[in-house]
Amino acid sequence: MTMLRRLLTLIRKELQIILGDRQGRLLVIMPVIVQTAIFPLAATLEIKNATLGIYDQDRGPAAVELTQRLRAQRVTFTRFIDIGDERQLGEAIERQRVLAVVRIPPDFSAKIARADATAQLQILLDGRRANSGQIAAGHLRQIISGFEQDAPAAMPVSALVTRAWFNPNLDYLDYILPCLIALITTTGVLIVTALSVAREREQGTFNQLLVSPYSPEMIMAGKIVPALLIATFHATLILLAAVFIYQVPFRGSLLILYAGTLLYALALAGVGLFVSSLCATQQQAFIGMFAFMMPAMMLSGFAAPVENMPVWLQHITWMNPIRHFMEVVKAVYLKNATLGHIASLAWPLLVIGSITLGAAAVLFRRRIA
Amino acid sequence: MSLAVAITGLTLRFPAAPKPALGGVSTCFHTGRITGLVGPDGSGKTTLMRLVAGLLKPGSGSIRVFGRDPVSEAAGLRGIIGYMPQKSGLYEDLSVIENLTLQADLRAVVGGERDEIFARILKFTDLSRFTSRLAGKLSGGMKQKLGLACALLGAPRLLLLDEPGVGVDPISRRELWRMVGELATEGIAIIWSTAYLDEAERCADVLLLNDGKQLYAGPPADLTRRMDGRCFLLSVPAEIRREKLTELAALPQILDATIQAQNIRLLARKDNALPSSCITQFEIKPASPRFEDAFMDILGGVQSGNSSLARILRDIPRDNATVIEARELTRTFGNFTAADHINLKIERGEIYGLLGPNGAGKSTIFRMLCGLLAPTGGEARAAGIDLRRSPARARQRIGYMAQKFSLYGQLTVAQNLAFFSGAYGLHGAAQREAIGAVTDCFHLAQYHGLKADALPLGCKQRLALACAVMHSPEILFLDEPTSGTDPVTRREFWSHINAAVRRGVTVMVTTHFMDEAEYCDRVGLVNRSKLIAAGTPEELKAQAITAGNRHPTMEDAFIALVGRSEQ
Amino acid sequence: MKADPAHGRRRAEAAFSFRRLRALCRKETLQILRDPTSVLIAFILPVVMLFIYGYGINLDLGRIRTGLLCEDTSPDAREFAASLTGSPSLDVNAYDSLPSIAEALTRSQIRGFVIIPVDFSAKLRRAESAFAVGGSVEPAPIQLIADGSEPNTASFVQGYVLGAWQSWLAQRALSRGLPAPPAICVESTFWYNPSAESRNYLIPGSIAVIMTVIGALLTALVIAREWERGTMEVLLSTSVTRAELLLGKIIPYYILGMGVFLLCIAVAHFLMGVPFRGSPFPIFACGSLFLLSALGIGLLISTATRNQFNASQTALFAAFLPAMMLSGFLFEISSMPVLIQAVSAIIPARYFVGAMQTLAQVGDAWPALLHSLLFLAATAFLFLGLTAGLTRRRLE
């Protein structure tokens, strides 16, 4: 009871420091709000409102129909440029006026009319934006394939029925918002743990804690619990925005999501305390925190799927808590995963947490000596 | 001697501050003289320095430095003003010579002139041996000397020194003073802000500020003279000296009471004679007044006699037990030994003072005793146990107050009090009661809602002591608890400590103020990692008696004993 | 005291002085060199980040794990299954029941699956006979379920399966002498980067993120640190001018930043095989102007906050994240809402990323480059100008 009360004193102090002044409160809330407002809209691999160049060297009936079909769709490409010659083609791509150009060769209509010949069609893309280009090319191929199917001579004997589970419209928002829960909680937890310990060292209050009846473990707990609270608060903010503003339906269990968040924040707090126990100044702690966070975010699977990485790197990402938490959030949020499934994703967090917290505790004790 | 700085009707109010930082100051500073800038914490000394240096813009009134305005005509003045701010402003990650070179370049000291000035300044400050050492690795005294050396580089005609003596041991302080004195004879105008009134007394002029107002400007002796016939020495036996002091200080007729060697020094209020009743049994003789007496008088003295701290602390039975003990205590860092086989024993209810030059190893010993640093050899025990390995229950019995008053600056006074009492397990009614009691005792009520960072230094110190005693500890560890604070605050502080000791608290304290050493029962003197002398203040002083000095002060004893151990 | 001659000399010096500037630069350089963390952030982190972007962030998908549930065991079904398995982009695994394949999808073991229904062959034959006589019946269905929780991968799965299905249809028509649908051979060509290697466009972009770290994050702390440690007070009491103060910060970090920039380009080009087709001058100009903008942002934050704790958080939030998210190297700017596109217009990284990608893959395409350089110069001017405006020669 006494222990608990003392711990509460420590936690209250930490929260008072973080939320005590206007600047502090702003720094807790503003980044979350701004990131929640901008990222889901900015971080998208969907191609919208792009410009398509149409280089029609044929102008026959089939070419006209294909051009009309290309112009008819209104999502990926909304602006179109007619390209008349090779010089314009080169300029349009070089100056990035277009994302892609469809070139219809002079014999296109003729070959379509003669059913036995294969008509050629070229999609020219900008290698500087190869990823967007690939996605755009995929859309163009679907339009062209629809054009083939609907040709009067064609009669399909089979049909491919395509559906997507968990996110039927393949909406990128449904993907990015769960990722954002993982990304934003990361910054908050690291700042509260790594930077605030360094600040107490610089200000001398850390010694004051060490001579008090608190054990090093209690002092650590006094940093961890506020970090957990802030992580939960941040996660809740983004969750509310995701469900009510971005209208991404939450399919899983809130209880599992929060349990996962706490487990993640615990593992990350371990990392933060570990970094802080190696650093003497705030500047070092900040750089140390950054040196961890930067690669960890990039290798979390949010920018590119982990399964695309080379195998050795995939093994390394096993040590990355953000990666595991991101999988957990996506599985709970979008797939309503079962507890067993989540446990199979989340157990590495437990391992990472015990290792980092253990190491931090050892270093904490050693620094006193 | 000519006019260096003329100030008329100077006023400055910071936005959102209730009172002006400076209100209507009018004074002059002259070349070839050291003018001491004195006053309680927060009286506006630093603000005045910054205004003269052109770093702040006056609200109203005017400043003329060698006839120029320090803000609008700054370009012409910067080359002839040397400024050393309180934090000394050194780059800690640069070496001594790199710091000097930077300042020399910034102040247009180049070529042959530079070599000549460097040689002179390094010799002058005795830093020649340390030119390649990083400034951050210098001791406090050496840092101040380097700061002074940097400020001197451009051959300034006006030197502004903001509390150069804070945290500096008496030997280094004397050296600083000697150096600055020499500069004055070369015709430089020097403004020296200080909390040490013995320094102020030696200045040609003083400017005394309080609450941003100018209380006195002129030679210190003129002010001191007002105290003629009001200072007395009362010879009181050591065993009852502190008790008597408390009793006397509480009397309305007494303006100030301090311990001076075997005597209690008494200051009578203007029109009152000394109260005969409580002093008749002791020998009394008149004493010559000091500047400090005049300072206390002009500020109206301090109500320091009866600290109500006694009511907060529980009574600890005097059992003559050894409470703090070091046995062959040793600590090495790499191949450097910071503490070398230290032995000391402190009994219950004693005040033990740890003195020594900067960098001698005081802090290392202190940190080992209170459990912040592990010894590499020997043993440190407090309250009969090794604090480092002890359970929370043992640390519950000590109170700790550090040099920089380690408070949570972003928390308010009330929040700091709530946190520290909670950390020591107080809660509910007991916690409210303890907070209420220290609030009264340390006059903190009006500050409750303020952030600790925003408090004047003296208040911070009171708050830090309040935080350290709320749980009624048996032992108090105080690491330079009065560093940089003014005499009024220090009087109050010691009246609290005396009250605590009357309740049986054992106190371990480090300090650079030699008059504070007089309050200690026993003193340990540390130099070059060794305990070179230990005993009562009288015993230490006795060791320093020479043919030339038959009544050495504590400061004389310090310098003599340290000097002897160096040979 | 040789008061007056010395005095006259010093007054003449109140204007800009190269000696003072050199002294400030030397001091800053020593501080950088003595801080162990600056080695970490200036040399180790950039190389680590380059390798992460070069090998870790792989947007060209390899073989996507795809499930197959073949309820029909006929030769027709096997023929289609073979065309799936033969696809170079799909890694097909067979499952034997709907629950097990659904479980695999939920657990992300596969990114999509194909179901060939039990009556596939029968329906296919019926459709083919009807087709031969010119009639029409319901075509034989094949189901594809993709994992929508990874929308990008899902659309790739859809594209690959569609391709495999089409080539199966065409081959089947050919082998049976049936009139095939008009065959259109679509050929995608990537200009400048024929193999669509993502490294080639991600690396030039990631250099922007690295330079932001050096330029903005490191410098965000340096002025705040001088305020916190009281050294600024001493500097201000000397004759140092505002220009010297700022240049004394900019020049050392500019040299450090350009060193890192050249290191990045060398590592990218010689170790990772990224082409740099542009000539040295525009590459250098681009790096310089961008670095100056980043330094401007960092110094602006530092000057405005005067507090390391807040400066570091602000820098993370105001410099690093925009360089990452709004510079267009991971996410297409034209796909963003108009408002966010407007915000990205004042982010120097956006122009730098565009210019670097052009310089790496296209070469000196001046019209496009000039536009970027102009904007970079404008942002550099803007942020450094704001810093200069906020820099005070006094303490208040």
Side-chain angles (χ1 to χ4, degrees), chain B residues 177-192:
Chain B
W177 179 261
R178 176 184 53 79
M179 286 183 234
V180 175
E182 273 178 44
L183 293 169
T185 60
E186 290 171 24
I188 300 178
I190 293 159
I191 307 180
W192 168 298

Side-chain angles (χ1 to χ4, degrees), chain A residues 23 27 30-31 34-35 37-39 41-50 89-90 93-96 99 108 112 117-135 137 141-142 144-145 147-149 151 153-167 170-172 175 187 191 195-196 199 202 282-284 286-287 289-291 293-295 298-299 302-305 307-310 312-313 330 334-335 338 340-341 344, chain C residues 35-37 40-41 45 48-49 52-53 55-62 65 102 105-108 111 113 120 124 127-128 131 135-137 139-156 158 161-162 165-166 168-169 181-193 196 201 209 213 217-218 221 225 228-229 305 308-310 312-314 316-317 320-321 324-326 330-332 334-337 340 357-358 361-362 365 367-368:
Chain A
Q23 207 172 12
L27 279 170
M30 277 312 283
V34 176
Q35 290 179 69
I38 291 185
F39 282 11
L41 303 172
T44 176
L45 288 176
E46 279 171 307
I47 306 301
K48 282 184 258 177
N49 304 322
L89 171 69
I93 294 185
E94 189 192 293
R95 297 210 187 165
Q96 307 201 317
L99 179 61
F108 181 74
I112 292 281
T118 304
Q120 303 287 326
L121 208 55
Q122 265 188 314
I123 301 176
L124 304 170
L125 299 154
D126 182 352
R128 287 168 286 179
R129 296 192 280 174
N131 187 50
S132 312
Q134 264 172 338
I135 296 165
R141 278 171 191 275
Q142 274 177 359
I144 294 164
S145 142
F147 171 77
E148 281 176 295
Q149 300 299 313
M155 239 305 295
V157 294
S158 169
L160 184 65
V161 186
T162 303
R163 276 191 296 140
W165 283 5
F166 315 124
N167 173 13
L170 294 188
D171 197 333
Y172 213 73
Y175 167 76
T187 337
I191 284 175
L195 254 64
S196 78
R199 180 155 70 173
E202 273 187 12
Q282 286 185 64
Q283 196 196 0
Q284 287 176 355
F286 175 63
I287 289 174
M289 177 190 114
F290 190 77
M293 197 170 77
M294 170 79 221
M298 293 321 299
L299 295 177
F302 127 85
E307 63 210 56
N308 289 8
M309 296 171 192
W312 58 271
L313 200 58
K330 279 195 286 188
L334 298 173
K335 297 184 174 178
T338 58
H341 179 194
S344 75
Chain C
D35 186 350
T37 53
L40 174 73
I41 204 165
L45 200 62
V48 169
M49 271 158 63
I52 287 178
Y53 283 109
Y55 298 104
I57 309 295
N58 196 354
L59 295 170
D60 347 310
L61 293 156
R65 282 178 314 226
L105 189 74
T106 310
R107 292 194 171 234
S108 307
R111 288 301 175 193
F113 62 85
F120 171 72
L124 182 69
E128 275 171 352
F131 186 65
S136 107
V137 290
I142 291 170
Q143 276 197 319
L144 165 64
I145 313 286
D147 178 358
S149 74
E150 293 277 351
N152 199 35
T153 312
S155 56
F156 279 109
Q158 290 179 349
V161 172
L162 181 73
W165 176 76
Q166 277 177 338
W168 166 75
L169 265 187
I184 299 177
C185 169
V186 183
E187 177 200 338
S188 302
T189 316
F190 287 93
W191 282 26
Y192 319 122
N193 182 11
Y201 60 88
V209 176
V213 173
L217 257 57
L218 274 188
L221 296 171
R225 189 172 59 186
E228 277 186 8
R229 297 192 182 166
T305 56
Q308 290 190 74
F309 191 81
N310 292 346
S312 57
Q313 288 187 62
T314 313
L316 200 63
F317 178 55
F320 172 67
L321 288 175
M324 192 84 174
M325 310 298 289
L326 301 179
L330 280 177
F331 307 109
E332 192 64 35
S334 61
S335 301
M336 298 174 190
I340 295 175
Q357 286 176 340
T358 300
Q361 302 191 30
V362 182

